[in-house]
Amino acid sequence: MNTTKYLRLVIGGILLKILAPLALFLAAGFYLIGTSFANINNVHFLCFYPNMLIASAIIFVITLIILIYFLLKYVLSPFIYYEKANASSKEIVTTSNKLMKKKKLKLILLMLSFIGWFVLIGLIVSILAYFVEIKYITPFVLVLYSLLKPYITVSQSIFYEDCIDEQEIKK
């Protein structure tokens, strides 16, 4: 694996394309935190007003949705990188964007199918936290996640293969 090429893909190819939505999301998060503190302390500080808490939360959620939309365009880039080692970063990002057209909802539904596992892990950790010290829970969470991560990765790779197959059928 060529590390510098992968970094070029991540930084130059993906990060630059999501820089504007990421900056908007971070600004909205900063504003939400500021208005939350203004609401808690009931003070007006700079541009943070207590009565703007709901509006800032709505703006934060909207920017989060926009950021997720842009991230979903490039989620297949690592799979394309490993399959086409000689492709340029621009080619990989463009291919990922083409493959994800009209399939973003399908991927979201795939990722939402894992919520049950995460709720189960949260429930187990919550029960364990009642009986065991917190320093013993962190390794347990890491073990549970390391058992779940391959399942998620295989599901994403199957999704990628389905996207490739659909693309070849269209040609």
Side-chain angles (χ1 to χ4, degrees):
M1 181 174 134
N2 189 348
T3 308
T4 56
K5 185 178 177 186
Y6 191 74
L7 283 175
R8 242 183 288 137
L9 167 69
V10 171
I11 295 170
I14 299 171
L15 188 62
L16 288 177
K17 300 220 185 258
I18 64 162
L19 198 57
L22 182 63
L24 284 173
F25 173 72
L26 293 174
F30 177 74
Y31 191 71
L32 178 63
I33 291 169
T35 53
S36 297
F37 283 129
N39 190 32
I40 290 169
N41 298 328
N42 202 18
V43 294
H44 303 290
F45 179 71
L46 297 174
C47 62
F48 305 115
Y49 300 104
N51 56 349
M52 292 296 291
L53 183 62
I54 294 172
S56 65
I58 291 171
I59 291 170
F60 179 78
V61 169
I62 289 171
T63 57
L64 176 66
I65 291 169
I66 292 169
L67 180 63
I68 289 171
Y69 174 79
F70 277 92
L71 285 172
L72 285 174
K73 287 181 175 183
Y74 310 112
V75 75
L76 297 179
S77 296
F79 298 104
I80 298 167
Y81 171 77
Y82 287 117
E83 187 173 309
K84 299 177 181 177
N86 297 331
S88 67
S89 298
K90 184 177 181 181
E91 208 175 309
I92 292 170
V93 169
T94 306
T95 305
S96 177
N97 194 6
K98 285 180 184 175
L99 288 175
M100 284 304 294
K101 280 195 192 289
K102 298 181 181 176
K103 295 182 184 83
K104 292 172 188 71
L105 182 63
K106 192 175 180 182
L107 183 63
I108 289 172
L109 292 174
L110 174 68
M111 291 296 114
L112 286 176
S113 70
F114 297 111
I115 283 183
W117 286 106
F118 288 111
V119 168
L120 182 64
I121 289 172
L123 185 65
I124 291 170
V125 168
S126 299
I127 292 169
L128 277 178
Y130 185 73
F131 297 107
V132 181
E133 286 184 45
I134 194 75
K135 66 181 180 181
Y136 299 116
I137 293 176
T138 305
F140 184 73
V141 171
L142 292 174
V143 167
L144 287 176
Y145 182 73
S146 66
L147 292 173
L148 187 58
K149 179 63 178 162
Y151 181 51
I152 294 171
T153 305
V154 167
S155 298
Q156 286 177 331
S157 64
I158 291 171
F159 176 80
Y160 168 69
E161 292 295 328
D162 288 345
C163 291
I164 292 290
D165 291 344
E166 287 178 23
Q167 189 76 11
E168 288 175 358
I169 289 172
K170 288 180 183 178
K171 289 181 181 179

